[in-house]
Amino acid sequence: MKKFSLWILLLSMLIACNGNLKTSQAGLDPAIENKIDSIIAQMTIEEKVGQMSQFTIDLIGKGGNAFFSSEPFEIDAVMLDTVIGKYKVGSILNTSNNRARTTEVWEKSIRTIQERAIKETGIPVIYGIDAIHGTTYTAGATFFPQEIGMAATFNRELVRRGAQITAYETRASNIPWNFSPTMDIGRDARWSRQWESYGEDVYLNSEMGTIVVRGYQGDNRNSVENSYLAACIKHYMGYGVPVSGKDRTPAVISESELREKYFEPFRNAIVEGGALSLMVNSGIINGVSTHADYRLITEWIKEDLEFDGVVVTDWADVQNLYTRDRISEDYKDAVKAAINAGIDMVMEPYNLAFCPTLIELVDEGEVSIERINDAVRRVLRLKYRLGLFEKPYWSRDEFPDFGSSEHEAVAESAAAESITLLKNDNSVLPLPANARILVTGPNANSMRTLNGGWSYSWQGEKTEEFAQQYNTIYEALQNKFGTANVKFEPGVTYKMDGQYFEENPPEIQKAVAAASGVDYIVLCVGENSYCETPGNLDELTLSENQTNLALALQKTGKPVILVLNEGRPRLISKIEPGSVAVVQTYLPGNFGGDALADILRGDINPSGKLPYTYPKYEQGLITYDHKPSQNIAGKMEGAYDYGAQTSVQYPFGYGLSYTTFTYSNMSVDKTDFTSDDIVKVSVDVTNSGEVEGKESVLLFSSDLVASLSPDVRRLRGFEKISLKPGETKTVTFDLKGEDLAFVNERGKWTIEEGAFMLQLGNQTANINCTVTKVWETPSK
């Protein structure tokens, strides 16, 4: 196809100059589709299969082997000729040697790749990366709180702005495709990727994920501007609820819950957000490996939603169909199963045998050429939408705001609004300016723990090398309260060259001795950084060393302020009662220490709210939207007088402030409604305290009686407001009647006649659905 390369580039630039060919966000751009028709008609099968393949950059790096490269990193021209010249590969991903690179290295590397691709086929490569809480793999990038912290802000605008900045700085790295946001609902506290989710609620995940997609992609999905990129929503779907609680292990989900809860965030991100690509779940749902599930990939996504984007595998998951799941007898059979299920691009990431294997399947008629052409069309469409044919690489100088103070200010605001005050006995917080403080615990003096995984490296173990200019909790408290007033003695430390859960022999008595002469103890506990399967655990309770440290410090009689810095809620029921205050920081990013110091001093009023239910006991894991039978009040009568009440440490949506908010005058504009109606729900919120504060107003609904046992409550809306002391604001929600529907046992959306209770703060109102409706289409 070399002879067509110049023609393709000229045609692309010609059509791009014609502004009349631009269409709206919904639907396809005819000009793009015409160009794709022309290209596909002249492509060889080798070129088509190459477009469907994706390999990691270390495969084409100098030195080492396929798994690592020599430093300083450079592209190996011989391997590049193999990957691009021989196999016509259409996509590269990841960073070399599992470490962040400068924008200059990214520019040089990707320019080299693109020049070779254009010379070979005239088709640019699409480069993909995991930019999870900022541009993960670029030195100097702005890092935000991880998704769980962004969810805790309940602030749509902050989330949108964070996504825009991440898109800008990822584009500054010459990368136009981001494997984010994570849309998995974090409904199991044991899961090692809990912190990559927006928490346990369907609506919160749907809203935040869709906002991030829009923030990444801008307003026109057919022509993504240079400062935006393509989102890849992941991991479709049910990935976050494995039965074992361990990463990449099977899930069992009812048909109604699969559609109502786990599918809904993905549906919303595609239909409302316009997501350009989707990554498939690495696990198994109800016995079916998701990467081979035609029903979920092709029928639910491509057909029912008319999704016109790219479906990509996760890392090496086609191989997993036969090496791990054993549903295929060999690699060839696994490739066949995945492609025929609807996979468009395979993230291999090392095995170049994928290309000749798929060609052989086509030659044998096991994979149709129509399936191949559909996949290639989707890949080319994504490249056109990103403008890669016109501009396959660019200069870092076009992005002068990379890592700017303006961007960092947004990240610091996000960290501050994410931090959640869970306990504050006798208003011990905020602390006085002259407070003498002991800072202790394994998370007190670590940038690695503040950021978590996906930070400068996969597991976050290289963070200290790249983040020295930022402040740990200890350093931030020194800056805030004065060096002379702040002591540091960790008592417990992590084994930084070991697994995330390993700790060094404790020195608890040193910390106890250091508590003499101070007024307060700020105890920073939680987890070291981890990501994915290496983050699996067998025990959710906080480590024994950290628990013993807390108990010993509490015996000193000094007020202990418990600071949690963790990716998932580790159980603290043994040490919470003896702590006068509890502050959840989640994984707040590079500005977490500064934001926490501002909150402890009172320069910022905390406003975060829990995006999940904080469990109290290992056998008491539950979500707020549980069934009535999981929370029986009292006991049954008779011989079998059992109860099923579940205790939690803190409920979903919980979070304290240094002020108080009063809710009053809740009203609805109609008490009877149908699925076609919109019910206006209003409430007055007053700052009844003495300091300015922000409040996330959460609207809940309860279906009082239904043909399937209903969830006890569901989040239906949220709005964050700021109020000065004595100020009152009216908050109004437009609640669609159809949004109160549930999915019945046949997998159909249903709303039934009967009463619903709405709740805002301590205010409630009842409304009544007057007409039952069952939707026969997959979506409402």
Side-chain angles (χ1 to χ4, degrees), residues 686-703:
T686 301
N687 183 342
S688 49
E690 298 180 354
V691 296
E692 185 174 357
K694 295 178 179 179
E695 171 72 345
S696 293
V697 182
L698 310 184
L699 172 63
F700 292 97
S701 73
S702 298
D703 191 345

Side-chain angles (χ1 to χ4, degrees), residues 235-291:
H235 307 84
Y236 176 75
M237 64 178 164
Y239 181 42
V241 285
V243 174
S244 68
K246 291 178 165 47
D247 186 49
R248 285 177 165 82
T249 58
V252 177
I253 307 170
S254 70
E255 189 73 5
S256 59
E257 289 233 329
L258 190 63
R259 185 172 288 282
E260 183 177 337
K261 292 181 177 171
Y262 299 97
F263 181 67
E264 185 61 17
F266 291 94
R267 185 207 65 80
N268 202 60
I270 290 170
V271 175
E272 303 296 333
L276 291 172
S277 62
L278 175 148
M279 184 183 291
V280 178
N281 168 16
S282 294
I284 296 170
I285 300 175
N286 301 333
V288 181
S289 298
T290 316
H291 276 77

Side-chain angles (χ1 to χ4, degrees), residues 203-407:
Y203 179 77
L204 183 58
N205 272 270
S206 296
E207 286 290 292
M208 293 307 196
T210 300
I211 288 165
V212 168
V213 169
R214 291 171 176 165
Y216 284 161
Q217 295 183 176
D219 296 328
N220 190 341
R221 69 193 297 269
N222 277 322
S223 180
V224 178
E225 296 178 14
N226 290 340
S227 58
Y228 295 92
L229 47 66
C232 184
I233 55 177
K234 65 183 187 183
H235 307 84
Y236 176 75
M237 64 178 164
Y239 181 42
V241 285
V243 174
S244 68
K246 291 178 165 47
D247 186 49
R248 285 177 165 82
T249 58
V252 177
I253 307 170
S254 70
E255 189 73 5
S256 59
E257 289 233 329
L258 190 63
R259 185 172 288 282
E260 183 177 337
K261 292 181 177 171
Y262 299 97
F263 181 67
E264 185 61 17
F266 291 94
R267 185 207 65 80
N268 202 60
I270 290 170
V271 175
E272 303 296 333
L276 291 172
S277 62
L278 175 148
M279 184 183 291
V280 178
N281 168 16
S282 294
I284 296 170
I285 300 175
N286 301 333
V288 181
S289 298
T290 316
H291 276 77
D293 196 328
Y294 180 87
R295 183 180 74 121
L296 294 187
I297 296 173
T298 296
E299 293 180 359
W300 284 33
I301 290 291
K302 291 185 172 181
E303 294 177 0
D304 292 348
L305 300 186
E306 299 181 346
F307 178 62
D308 60 24
V310 172
V311 175
V312 63
T313 74
D314 205 343
W315 186 274
D317 274 327
V318 169
Q319 293 189 48
N320 283 336
L321 293 179
Y322 85 99
T323 60
R324 182 195 68 188
D325 297 351
R326 302 182 187 177
I327 68 164
S328 300
E329 62 181 3
D330 54 25
Y331 179 64
K332 183 177 178 180
D333 192 42
V335 172
K336 172 186 170 181
I339 300 302
N340 284 337
I343 296 295
D344 301 312
M345 181 181 286
V346 173
M347 186 188 293
E348 190 32 55
Y350 301 106
N351 185 12
L352 288 167
F354 166 76
C355 295
T357 299
L358 182 52
I359 291 170
E360 187 176 332
L361 286 165
V362 175
D363 290 342
E364 294 171 353
E366 296 296 320
V367 174
S368 71
I369 193 63
E370 289 78 17
R371 174 76 269 273
I372 297 295
N373 286 344
D374 172 65
V376 174
R377 175 175 293 278
R378 291 167 181 271
V379 173
L380 295 178
R381 182 183 292 139
L382 180 58
K383 293 179 178 184
Y384 271 115
R385 284 170 162 171
L386 289 168
L388 295 178
F389 279 89
E390 295 80 25
K391 194 173 184 180
Y393 51 83
W394 44 89
S395 170
R396 180 257 185 269
D397 295 338
E398 296 177 35
F399 297 85
D401 292 331
F402 173 88
S404 66
S405 57
E406 177 189 350
H407 287 184

Side-chain angles (χ1 to χ4, degrees), residues 438 440-442 489-493 503-515 521 523 543-556:
L438 168 65
T440 183
E489 182 59 58
V492 174
T493 56
E503 295 171 348
N504 296 310
E507 297 180 314
I508 292 174
Q509 286 307 310
K510 284 187 176 182
V512 170
I521 298 172
L523 172 58
S543 78
E544 183 178 2
N545 287 338
Q546 294 185 56
T547 299
N548 290 339
L549 174 63
L551 293 173
L553 291 170
Q554 288 169 358
K555 288 179 180 178
T556 67

Side-chain angles (χ1 to χ4, degrees), residues 470-519:
Y470 303 105
N471 295 316
T472 66
I473 293 172
Y474 167 55
E475 292 165 344
L477 290 176
Q478 280 188 310
N479 293 338
K480 181 63 63 175
F481 291 92
T483 302
N485 286 335
V486 179
K487 292 184 182 181
F488 172 61
E489 182 59 58
V492 174
T493 56
Y494 296 117
K495 191 173 185 297
M496 288 299 188
D497 60 351
Q499 298 184 72
Y500 82 95
F501 53 81
E502 292 185 271
E503 295 171 348
N504 296 310
E507 297 180 314
I508 292 174
Q509 286 307 310
K510 284 187 176 182
V512 170
S516 63
V518 302
D519 305 314

Side-chain angles (χ1 to χ4, degrees), residues 83-232:
V83 171
I84 302 295
K86 180 178 180 180
Y87 292 107
K88 325 296 183 187
V89 167
S91 184
I92 304 293
L93 83 153
N94 211 12
T95 188
S96 58
N97 292 341
N98 185 35
R99 67 183 297 111
R101 300 293 169 181
T102 64
T103 53
E104 289 77 16
V105 169
W106 279 122
E107 180 181 339
K108 179 182 177 182
S109 300
I110 293 175
R111 178 189 292 264
T112 300
I113 294 168
Q114 295 289 32
E115 287 176 343
R116 183 67 181 88
I118 295 299
K119 179 181 178 182
E120 182 65 33
T121 66
I123 300 174
V125 160
I126 182 169
Y127 205 103
I129 205 77
D130 292 277
I132 303 302
H133 67 124
T135 305
T136 299
Y137 288 134
T138 301
T142 306
F143 279 19
F144 291 84
Q146 298 281 3
E147 279 191 14
I148 198 68
M150 297 302 284
T153 70
F154 280 85
N155 187 327
R156 290 179 176 87
E157 177 55 27
L158 260 182
V159 171
R160 182 194 64 81
R161 186 69 183 115
Q164 285 182 324
I165 290 170
T166 298
Y168 179 95
E169 296 194 355
T170 305
R171 274 283 196 167
S173 309
N174 261 262
I175 300 171
W177 192 16
N178 187 10
F179 305 132
S180 171
T182 300
M183 306 288 294
D184 307 300
I185 307 179
R187 295 173 68 81
D188 189 327
R190 301 170 298 171
W191 188 43
S192 61
R193 306 187 78 166
Q194 171 81 4
W195 50 271
E196 290 186 61
S197 78
Y198 292 108
E200 71 183 37
D201 179 68
V202 180
Y203 179 77
L204 183 58
N205 272 270
S206 296
E207 286 290 292
M208 293 307 196
T210 300
I211 288 165
V212 168
V213 169
R214 291 171 176 165
Y216 284 161
Q217 295 183 176
D219 296 328
N220 190 341
R221 69 193 297 269
N222 277 322
S223 180
V224 178
E225 296 178 14
N226 290 340
S227 58
Y228 295 92
L229 47 66
C232 184

Side-chain angles (χ1 to χ4, degrees), residues 60 123 238 396 419 511 539 561 615 708 746 778:
I60 56 175
I123 300 174
R396 180 257 185 269
I419 293 174
E539 173 58 60
I561 297 155
L708 288 185
R746 297 185 299 113

